[in-house]
Amino acid sequence: MSKDEKTSVVSGFYKLSVKKRISFVKDFADLSGEDEKVFSSHLNIETADRMIENVLGTFEIPFGIAVNFVINGKDYLIPMATEESSVIAAASNAAKIARIKGGFKTEITDPLMIGQLQLLKVDDVVDAAKAIMDHKKQLLDLANAQDKILVSFGGGAKDLEVRILDSPLGKMIVTHLIVDVRDAMGANAVNTMCEALAPMIEELTGGHVRLKILSNLADKRIVKARAVFDKEKMGGESVVDAFLESYTLASIDPYRAATHNKGIMNGIDAVIIATGNDSRAIEAGAHAYAARNGQYTSLTTYHKDKNGDLVGEIELPMAVGIVGGAGNIHPKAILCKKILGIKSAQQLSEVVASLGLAQNFAAVFALSTVGIQKGHMGLHAKNIAVMAGATGKQIDKVAGQLIKEEKIKLDRAKEILKNI
Ligand code: NAD
């Protein structure tokens, strides 16, 4: 069976042993025996020592797979690296409901990043802005001379915009260099171009360039994902209505919107980390975009369609890469990209946005019905059992009793353990 025909639906995946789960993923993603070894490998200390400074060791977090996803008609298993329980189960559940009505559909812009050059100490900002724009072609050519590889892939500096800003220091000019970064996240590529342009901008204007760095508000690199969630599977139209009531608070209130968006990032960060991408860049872009109209709000929107089903949409900047950065160095990130079977940064963006929407749907759905704690309790009870000193089979016994008693407390876990 070709990979495109394989299904990401696996019932009871969570009940399988780790070995059997790996075997399913290996078959789904056509992994080799060498790939398989990476699941249980650790990041080589020499590699780690080259990635960051002052290395002491490596820091492990759990890595799992979200199942059931269909995105633009294609099945995906989504690798997620996270320390938070319930996140992967919730995403998989949401994907299962979304697939009833065809799964996730996405739209995407070109991968355009913005580099900023801050120009100070100019006598006449209007004249200086004109001088910059009059030399747009020369500036773009100079930028493109910095990255012939990017240009050879159809990317490179595409446009220039000039903004005049009032500040406590007086007026300043901020030049935006718009760069198509193709399959890269783009920070190094854009920063190198900005640094190269600074002397020419100073010469053209007589001013002084201070900052030369990309903006993480990547609002020209936007991805949207949409899914319809079946009302019957949700428990009927009254549950859809309850969901919309919960969502409405996130749309009007920053206190709720922050938590609502955190739920989105539970999924997004996990796949971003698993693929070796920069989670801080994605977080910064997402939250700045959520406040773009002056008030911080939800990154998702929801409404009911004429059948009474719930329609969910997400829209956010997505500066991810499949070349460059840590994603090309870390063996697990390389493996995760193989599991996803992605061919471009844009395809990865579509997966990330769909996962974010699924994660958000799952959280609001739980909050609107049984509450969020029920899903968290299973693993939480096991952690408490371990903290109480349980080992092996004792863990499930103690955790089971704690859940039965609806009292997940360390002192009670110790008592139960004593009586086993
Ligand atoms: P990079 O410089 O490692 O790789 C990008 C380069 O790869 C391109 O410039 C191009 O020359 C080459 N390339 C080869 N094939 C390509 C293709 N198909 N498409 C595009 N380019 C191709 O990485 P980067 O993406 O420029 O920078 C990402 C790194 O920068 C991340 O590790 C990030 O953490 C870091 N960073 C982020 C910030 C920030 O977000 N503010 C600031 C500085 C650094």
Side-chain angles (χ1 to χ4, degrees):
M1 208 188 298
S2 88
K3 189 163 174 242
D4 286 345
E5 293 161 7
K6 286 180 184 165
T7 177
S8 61
V9 179
V10 214
S11 84
F13 190 67
Y14 68 100
K15 291 186 202 148
L16 300 178
S17 64
V18 173
K19 209 171 157 206
K20 287 208 170 118
R21 289 183 202 140
I22 290 176
S23 162
F24 176 81
V25 175
K26 187 182 172 199
D27 180 51
F28 178 90
D30 293 327
L31 302 180
S32 67
E34 283 306 302
D35 292 330
E36 193 178 352
K37 286 185 196 152
V38 178
F39 284 103
S40 55
S41 70
H42 294 280
L43 183 65
N44 182 303
I45 195 74
E46 283 83 32
T47 310
D49 204 25
R50 279 194 301 274
M51 288 174 73
I52 63 164
E53 306 76 32
N54 299 355
V55 161
L56 302 174
T58 57
F59 191 100
E60 302 295 327
I61 54 169
F63 149 45
I65 283 277
V67 297
N68 301 329
F69 274 83
V70 59
I71 302 168
N72 299 328
K74 180 174 159 26
D75 273 58
Y76 287 90
L77 292 177
I78 306 185
M80 298 173 73
T82 178
E83 87 300 342
E84 188 168 348
S85 65
S86 303
V87 168
I88 295 181
S92 304
N93 242 335
K96 198 172 179 181
I97 299 177
R99 33 186 326 129
I100 298 169
K101 301 276 174 182
F104 298 86
K105 307 271 178 343
T106 67
E107 281 173 51
I108 192 148
T109 63
D110 282 336
L112 297 174
M113 296 295 287
I114 299 167
Q116 293 195 298
L117 290 109
Q118 176 200 26
L119 182 66
L120 305 160
K121 301 188 172 57
V122 280
D123 295 334
D124 185 328
V125 285
V126 176
D127 274 358
K130 186 172 178 309
I132 294 168
M133 289 313 279
D134 284 348
H135 292 82
K136 177 169 153 177
K137 183 173 180 321
Q138 292 89 325
L139 287 161
L140 292 182
D141 286 348
L142 180 59
N144 283 328
Q146 312 307 311
D147 201 332
K148 299 252 165 61
I149 299 176
L150 184 58
V151 173
S152 76
F153 282 106
K158 300 290 179 191
D159 205 0
L160 216 55
E161 290 169 0
V162 172
R163 299 161 64 214
I164 298 174
L165 301 182
D166 281 317
S167 85
L169 305 175
K171 286 193 186 303
M172 62 176 77
I173 296 181
V174 179
T175 304
H176 280 192
L177 177 68
I178 318 296
V179 185
D180 183 325
V181 297
R182 293 286 92 200
D183 289 323
M185 181 268 178
N188 287 325
V190 170
N191 293 344
T192 306
M193 289 182 181
C194 288
E195 288 186 8
L197 295 197
M200 188 166 168
I201 287 186
E202 287 180 343
E203 206 177 295
L204 289 170
T205 60
H208 179 70
V209 175
R210 176 66 62 203
L211 293 175
K212 347 170 211 322
I213 180 131
L214 105 157
S215 168
N216 285 112
L217 176 51
D219 62 0
K220 292 184 187 292
R221 194 178 189 180
I222 297 296
V223 59
K224 296 181 191 178
R226 183 179 193 276
V228 178
F229 298 96
D230 183 75
K231 68 167 188 264
E232 300 306 337
K233 195 72 188 168
M234 284 178 70
E237 206 157 335
S238 63
V239 180
V240 174
D241 291 338
F243 186 109
L244 289 171
E245 284 168 5
S246 302
Y247 155 68
T248 301
L249 184 58
S251 72
I252 59 164
D253 177 23
Y255 285 93
R256 172 60 203 148
T259 323
H260 181 92
N261 290 343
K262 189 273 180 187
I264 293 172
M265 303 318 283
N266 276 344
I268 288 185
D269 280 357
V271 65
I272 287 296
I273 291 168
T275 53
N277 274 286
D278 184 337
S279 58
R280 290 81 55 209
I282 301 300
E283 287 273 354
H287 296 295
Y289 196 66
R292 67 192 178 284
N293 294 324
Q295 177 171 322
Y296 186 87
T297 186
S298 165
L299 287 164
T300 51
T301 54
Y302 290 93
H303 68 272
K304 198 160 52 166
D305 68 11
K306 57 181 186 322
N307 297 324
D309 293 320
L310 181 75
V311 181
E313 286 165 306
I314 188 168
E315 175 180 332
L316 76 170
M318 195 49 66
V320 291
I322 60 163
V323 298
N328 262 17
I329 300 166
H330 198 300
K332 283 214 177 81
I334 296 168
L335 175 71
C336 288
K337 286 188 278 184
K338 203 161 177 184
I339 294 169
L340 282 165
I342 40 171
K343 303 274 184 292
S344 68
Q346 285 181 306
Q347 194 185 352
L348 176 57
S349 302
E350 291 168 334
V351 171
V352 177
S354 301
L355 177 61
L357 176 58
Q359 208 70 61
N360 181 238
F361 165 80
V364 179
F365 184 37
L367 284 168
S368 310
T369 52
V370 291
I372 205 102
Q373 285 309 89
K374 192 167 175 266
H376 276 280
M377 280 309 129
L379 286 175
H380 179 56
K382 284 190 187 179
N383 284 332
I384 295 289
V386 172
M387 279 167 69
T391 54
K393 288 190 176 151
Q394 291 173 336
I395 299 172
D396 281 344
K397 270 194 184 159
V398 175
Q401 187 61 28
L402 290 172
I403 291 171
K404 205 164 141 199
E405 293 176 10
E406 293 183 8
K407 197 174 172 191
I408 303 180
K409 296 272 183 298
L410 185 59
D411 51 349
R412 180 64 191 134
K414 285 182 179 165
E415 279 170 22
I416 297 168
L417 187 63
K418 222 188 268 174
N419 296 330
I420 289 178

